[in-house]
Amino acid sequence: DGGITQSPKYLFRKEGQNVTLSCEQNLNHDAMYWYRQDPGQGLRLIYYSQIVNDFQKGDIAEGYSVSREKKESFPLTVTSAQKNPTAFYLCASSFGTGNYGYTFGSGTRLTVV
Amino acid sequence: LAKTTQPISMDSYEGQEVNITCSHNNIATNDYITWYQQFPSQGPRFIIQGYKTKVTNEVASLFIPADRKSSTLSLPRVSLSDTAVYYCLVYNAGNMLTFGGGTRLMVKP
């Protein structure tokens, strides 16, 4: 079955450490996205990529980095520069950035301890 | 980007029809209206999308009046499993999806 997979589901990190969240899709989607969700809030866009080897900052990119070396993969690194990294992180993909439905992964819950 | 306004929360009972209205007064000609559903600790799921008049699928109906300044998501005969957050979004080609706070629907037995 086609889908989008995020791993791990839960992640704990010590302050000052970088951590990378994985996102893989086998839907042959061109575009991929990372969102952050805080408790009781909506989703905020961190980064997005419309094509391999290209990506753009979203609304809250500071303290995060991404890469898009393969069409299927869009990993997100939460760096030590991110002041408040504890959150629920969601990856999504779509055929394009137009009027196409987004497919979301099941999310990674990151906790800084 | 057109901003959307929807109720923060709604309560309903099993078997009832639920209508969630979303306001988007400054919607542009090229904008579409789309709705997503999110359960706790899961990613949002696409429900329905439309441009004008009425759209229906196996899950819901979407009603859009002629001026397109609002839209209504209709969920027929809700069950407990429909308890979730529902997001109304307006977007067009080239724009990313921008999620507001959504409407928290609580379905009671």
Side-chain angles (χ1 to χ4, degrees):
Chain A
D1 289 337
I4 183 166
T5 302
Q6 289 186 242
S7 61
K9 191 170 181 62
Y10 298 95
L11 189 58
F12 295 87
R13 183 195 98 175
K14 291 184 178 180
E15 278 193 42
Q17 289 181 337
N18 293 353
V19 62
T20 298
L21 282 59
S22 171
C23 179
E24 303 277 335
Q25 55 97 0
N26 60 2
L27 300 165
N28 199 32
H29 285 173
D30 294 310
M32 297 186 74
Y33 316 83
W34 275 104
Y35 286 88
R36 167 182 173 140
Q37 187 173 35
D38 292 289
Q41 305 297 313
L43 285 69
R44 291 185 290 168
L45 183 64
I46 305 172
Y47 267 98
Y48 65 97
S49 168
Q50 297 175 281
I51 195 170
V52 174
N53 292 323
D54 184 61
F55 47 84
Q56 307 295 329
K57 292 182 179 180
D59 300 321
I60 55 166
E62 185 175 351
Y64 300 98
S65 66
V66 293
S67 63
R68 187 85 186 277
E69 297 177 0
K70 298 186 301 181
K71 187 175 184 178
E72 303 78 18
S73 179
F74 191 41
L76 172 74
T77 297
V78 184
T79 76
S80 56
Q82 169 49 235
K83 301 299 182 187
N84 185 22
T86 295
F88 188 49
Y89 291 88
L90 287 157
C91 179
S93 67
S94 68
F95 276 115
T97 56
N99 300 318
Y100 304 103
Y102 284 24
T103 300
F104 281 84
S106 56
T108 292
R109 189 167 298 281
L110 174 64
T111 303
V112 175
V113 296
Chain B
L1 293 173
K3 182 180 178 180
T4 60
T5 302
Q6 54 185 121
I8 294 174
S9 64
M10 293 181 68
D11 288 342
S12 182
Y13 291 92
E14 283 189 290
Q16 289 188 335
E17 178 184 75
V18 171
N19 295 309
I20 305 174
T21 297
C22 177
S23 298
H24 27 79
N25 291 320
N26 59 341
I27 190 170
T29 303
N30 295 333
D31 287 341
Y32 280 69
I33 300 153
T34 186
W35 286 79
Y36 280 74
Q37 174 193 55
Q38 185 181 26
F39 297 113
S41 297
Q42 294 186 27
R45 180 177 73 108
F46 173 85
I47 299 177
I48 197 166
Q49 176 172 288
Y51 183 79
K52 61 180 180 180
T53 62
K54 177 183 176 181
V55 179
T56 297
N57 61 24
E58 65 278 6
V59 177
S61 294
L62 179 60
F63 299 92
I64 306 168
D67 66 6
R68 303 200 328 123
K69 293 184 182 300
S70 67
S71 59
T72 299
L73 174 73
S74 181
L75 305 172
R77 296 181 299 280
V78 294
S79 63
L80 297 176
S81 62
D82 291 315
T83 294
V85 178
Y86 293 83
Y87 296 96
C88 166
L89 302 99
V90 171
Y91 76 114
N92 58 37
N95 292 331
M96 305 305 111
L97 287 186
T98 299
F99 288 78
T103 297
R104 295 181 178 276
L105 173 65
M106 173 67 72
V107 179
K108 302 175 182 178

